[in-house]
Amino acid sequence: MKTPAKNQNALLNIFLGTSCFLLMFQLYCIAPLLPAYTGEFNSSLLNMAIPAFAIPFATAAACMVLSPSTFKKPQWWIALSLLAMSSGSLLLSTVGSAEVFLLNRMLTGVGTGTMLPSALVLATRSADKKESFSNMIRIILSLATGMTFAPSIGGWLNESLGWRSLFQVVGMISAVLWLLFIMFNRRNKSISYRQIRMVKRESNLHIIWKGRKIYSFVFLSGVFHSGVFVWISYYFTLQYKLGAYDLGTALFIFGLPGLTVAILLFRINQDTSGIRILYSGLALTILGLLVMMQHLPLWLAECLLALMSLGFSFSQPLFIGILKLPKAGLSAGTLFAIGSGILFAGYGSGPLIMAALLESQKYAGIGFLVFVVIVMAGLGSYVTSGTHPG
């Protein structure tokens, strides 16, 4: 039978996972809607919808390292982020121009930028390193699940509800979660939020330089995932004339198999150094991308999406640069803030690069994705051999 303390911890983990799921959901539910946004607002600026959120988010997350006192009350940063996500989503459903749409996304990105680093700090509150690492993995899987299902649900619900109603729903769910989280913290003040103090201060640039290969892998993972969502939306709209609903289905086919395999990999071996099939997986992804260029029937192209998803899942965890428990002299908050910032910088950069390439040449985007996967494969052996709990 669980003790009250264990029940409190379990409930807190549910709050953290749900918050991170919503974070990624509201970021990526617009991926299949970008062509519709461009038409509704008569502006190509809406292609910036994902970067407009992700880059300010990355900046806000990285800025958390500027003050050592930032992580003293991580639970309140979570509450603030939920409030920002709720108000931002509700206001977004009312906008009438592309400029206001993007401004809203930027402000929401800044307001929620503290969520992921704070959630990871709370996830590592246990003195037991194995438990802390398991909690971090649950946060990462919550992010991955939100990313996987958001484009699909966004495309599917757009047909019946419309994107404005979709964001109203996200805003109301975030508001309810915020209220419940506030009540939880008031009732459970006895929960201990263990803080790992910085014994020896290192400059942030020095930390990034020492982990440059891992952080490069993280950045490119974000670039690839954001870039491929934009590319699929563009290519399948152009090649197969798909609407938002069918684009949601195509993105679901791309996301679900990989997520399933990733969860299985974590359950089999939570020590990421045990993943030795990275190269074959990335090779399968490259092959799928190259074959996709051959004007295939829609059903075959969707089968290839599933294979690509399976292949790329072997590079899990995609967020490996923030799955690092602090060593002597480093604070958990510093590592998590830097890693979160780099990850979301990748999320924001992918659509920017992809949009620029797609404007110049139809196949330039897929060539870029192939290049990114090849570089990630080059970083793979170092990443998988050098990351482990603690």
Side-chain angles (χ1 to χ4, degrees):
M1 184 175 181
K2 288 186 176 181
T3 64
K6 287 186 177 180
N7 285 326
Q8 291 173 0
N9 288 331
L11 189 55
L12 178 59
N13 287 333
I14 291 174
F15 276 123
L16 296 178
T18 305
S19 299
C20 290
F21 174 90
L22 279 176
L23 173 69
M24 299 304 288
F25 183 90
Q26 60 84 38
L27 171 59
Y28 279 106
C29 69
I30 66 175
L33 310 181
L34 293 178
Y37 284 144
T38 301
E40 178 175 342
F41 291 101
N42 192 29
S43 173
S44 61
L45 288 175
L46 270 300
N47 290 325
M48 297 278 292
I50 293 176
F53 177 90
I55 293 177
F57 183 102
T59 303
C63 284
M64 294 185 76
V65 304
L66 298 178
S67 173
S69 62
T70 301
F71 295 99
K72 287 185 177 179
K73 293 287 186 180
Q75 67 274 31
W76 297 117
W77 286 113
I78 298 289
L80 178 64
S81 296
L82 285 170
L83 186 60
M85 188 157 60
S86 174
S87 57
S89 298
L90 291 172
L91 288 173
L92 188 65
S93 68
T94 67
V95 301
S97 70
E99 291 79 9
V100 177
F101 187 105
L102 294 180
L103 178 61
N104 176 285
R105 294 287 281 176
M106 291 172 63
L107 294 175
T108 306
V110 171
T112 57
T114 58
M115 179 182 288
L116 182 55
S118 299
L120 289 168
V121 167
L122 289 177
T124 61
R125 64 193 178 277
S126 172
D128 183 274
K129 286 191 174 183
K130 184 177 181 180
E131 181 181 348
S132 291
F133 191 69
S134 297
N135 289 340
M136 282 197 294
I137 286 177
R138 293 188 185 99
I139 296 295
I140 299 308
L141 290 179
S142 296
L143 292 170
T145 303
M147 178 189 291
T148 298
F149 291 109
S152 308
I153 295 174
W156 294 336
L157 292 184
N158 181 66
E159 188 166 301
S160 56
L161 295 180
W163 67 268
R164 295 182 186 274
S165 295
L166 176 62
F167 274 100
Q168 288 173 359
V169 171
V170 172
M172 289 186 287
I173 294 175
S174 300
V176 170
L177 190 60
W178 169 78
L179 180 60
L180 292 175
F181 192 69
I182 292 292
M183 294 170 60
F184 170 83
N185 279 286
R186 287 181 177 176
R187 291 182 179 180
N188 299 282
K189 294 181 179 180
S190 61
I191 290 183
S192 174
Y193 298 106
R194 180 179 65 96
Q195 298 299 312
I196 302 174
R197 300 183 180 278
M198 183 174 287
V199 179
K200 178 180 61 177
R201 183 175 296 276
E202 292 189 47
S203 72
N204 297 328
L205 291 177
H206 184 58
I207 294 171
I208 294 172
W209 176 251
K210 288 201 303 183
R212 59 191 180 278
K213 292 183 179 179
I214 293 174
Y215 287 136
S216 296
F217 188 87
V218 166
F219 177 79
L220 291 176
S221 294
V223 168
F224 180 88
H225 269 75
S226 275
V228 81
F229 284 153
V230 172
W231 178 80
I232 289 174
S233 298
Y234 175 88
Y235 182 77
F236 277 65
T237 299
L238 181 68
Q239 184 68 29
Y240 303 107
K241 312 301 180 185
L242 299 187
Y245 184 93
D246 293 321
L247 279 176
T249 302
L251 290 167
F252 181 77
I253 291 171
F254 173 75
L256 183 61
L259 177 65
T260 303
V261 170
I263 292 173
L264 291 175
L265 287 174
F266 277 126
R267 290 186 66 86
I268 293 170
N269 190 348
Q270 290 188 340
D271 185 344
T272 55
S273 64
I275 301 174
R276 300 300 182 190
I277 49 179
L278 174 66
Y279 290 112
S280 59
L282 292 179
L284 182 61
T285 304
I286 294 172
L287 179 62
L289 287 168
L290 292 174
V291 176
M292 187 75 73
M293 300 170 64
Q294 307 306 315
H295 303 291
L296 304 172
L298 177 59
W299 68 270
L300 186 54
E302 290 180 339
C303 289
L304 272 177
L305 284 180
L307 288 175
M308 289 163 52
S309 177
L310 288 172
F312 196 72
S313 70
F314 294 133
S315 67
Q316 299 286 352
L318 302 180
F319 313 95
I320 207 161
I322 55 179
L323 282 181
K324 294 281 285 183
L325 286 173
K327 298 180 180 180
L330 292 178
S331 71
T334 297
L335 290 178
F336 296 150
I338 291 174
S340 299
I342 290 174
L343 174 65
F344 274 78
Y347 286 153
S349 300
L352 288 177
I353 298 171
M354 187 59 62
L357 291 173
L358 290 175
E359 284 185 5
S360 61
Q361 214 280 335
K362 183 170 65 172
Y363 295 122
I366 201 167
F368 171 73
L369 293 176
V370 171
F371 172 76
V372 169
V373 173
I374 290 173
V375 175
M376 289 180 66
L379 294 169
S381 60
Y382 175 84
V383 170
T384 54
S385 64
T387 55
H388 53 81

